[in-house]
Amino acid sequence: MTAGITMLFCIVTLLSGRGWAATNTPRFLFVGDSHTVGTFGHTLDQDLRDWDDQVQVATVGVCGSSPLWWLDRHAFRCGLWAKGADEVTTSLAKGKTPSLSRLLDSARPTHILVALGSNLFGTEVSHVTAQVTRFLEVALAPTQEDQPAPTCFWIGPPNGRNKPEPELSQLYEAISETAHDLGCTLIDSRPLTDYPAVGGDGAHFDSLGAPGREIARAWAHAVSEEIKKSSE
């Protein structure tokens, strides 16, 4: 068995562990990029788990990923972090991005959260639209004949010095229109984040140290509240 197949098997097993009960309670599958690997993703994952004792959550973040990575199992080299419904976590330095289809089959989510888009910054609008469309066509397809498509939230990229205007607004417009057309609610992270003029790498809040991690936590709490309000 190759390392890539072994890694995928481990991730799918993690998400389908005994903590992932076959109930009618909310089941969240949360996938994202490096922000999900970091403080933002860890905090939002915990916020979702803290909603209710019955809520089930599975999170996978892959550094550097864009939507197509989750469809073609693109190789990553800067880290993966995952946490299953039974709260077992795993971290990997490199490997192949888990298959979205396999994750959906395993998790059978009622809700899917997608925190992707930062790595599409600067690409052509048609390219953004194509990637978001292909991802959501898979994500929102019913996993079983008697199970409806999951409720979808697309968490847009945060502000960053590496994402100036008007390019960031153009990226948001492409994601927003495509997500809306396919039935996924966009959460705009721009009013929820403020990247300092100096310090860090210009993109990741964790690179700013403790102040940046606090920004990431506040962002996650705000996103959690928006999802909760929309789900009531």
Side-chain angles (χ1 to χ4, degrees):
M1 183 179 290
T2 67
I5 294 174
T6 301
M7 187 277 290
L8 177 61
F9 175 79
C10 291
I11 295 297
V12 170
T13 300
L14 173 72
L15 300 187
S16 58
R18 60 180 180 276
W20 199 246
T23 70
N24 293 322
T25 59
R27 299 187 302 276
F28 287 88
L29 175 61
F30 172 25
V31 300
D33 52 28
S34 56
H35 294 293
T36 302
V37 175
T39 298
F40 167 75
H42 292 212
T43 304
L44 181 53
D45 175 275
Q46 191 58 53
D47 280 357
L48 296 171
R49 294 174 195 273
D50 290 343
W51 280 9
D52 186 284
D53 290 342
Q54 300 301 312
V55 171
Q56 300 168 41
V57 183
T59 297
V60 187
V62 174
C63 174
S65 65
S66 58
L68 285 188
W69 283 34
W70 299 82
L71 305 183
D72 62 16
R73 300 202 58 225
H74 193 284
F76 65 87
R77 295 178 176 81
C78 58
L80 171 150
W81 179 80
K83 188 172 183 179
D86 54 6
E87 303 200 27
V88 173
T89 63
T90 188
S91 297
L92 296 167
K94 60 183 180 179
K96 287 190 175 182
T97 305
S99 161
L100 176 62
S101 294
R102 291 287 301 276
L103 295 177
L104 290 166
D105 288 344
S106 198
R108 298 174 290 108
T110 59
H111 297 71
I112 182 166
L113 312 184
V114 187
L116 296 169
S118 289
N119 296 305
L120 292 175
F121 183 84
T123 60
E124 295 289 336
V125 169
S126 59
H127 184 64
V128 175
T129 299
Q131 286 217 29
V132 174
T133 297
R134 285 188 57 192
F135 184 96
L136 289 179
E137 285 176 345
V138 174
L140 298 181
T143 56
Q144 298 178 11
E145 290 185 2
D146 60 346
Q147 181 177 328
T151 299
C152 176
F153 294 93
W154 194 291
I155 304 165
N159 284 308
R161 291 200 310 273
N162 70 328
K163 295 189 288 292
E165 294 290 358
E167 290 86 353
L168 181 56
S169 290
Q170 292 167 354
L171 172 61
Y172 256 92
E173 184 176 355
I175 294 175
S176 177
E177 290 182 358
T178 308
H180 179 269
D181 289 346
L182 293 172
C184 188
T185 299
L186 177 75
I187 295 178
D188 191 340
S189 296
R190 290 173 294 180
L192 309 178
T193 53
D194 184 18
Y195 205 97
V198 296
D201 63 6
H204 301 96
F205 296 107
D206 286 37
S207 71
L208 293 161
R213 290 191 291 274
E214 188 56 38
I215 295 171
R217 282 190 285 269
W219 173 28
H221 294 326
V223 168
S224 174
E225 286 301 312
E226 288 203 26
I227 294 170
K228 192 170 186 179
K229 289 177 183 177
S230 297
S231 301
E232 290 176 348

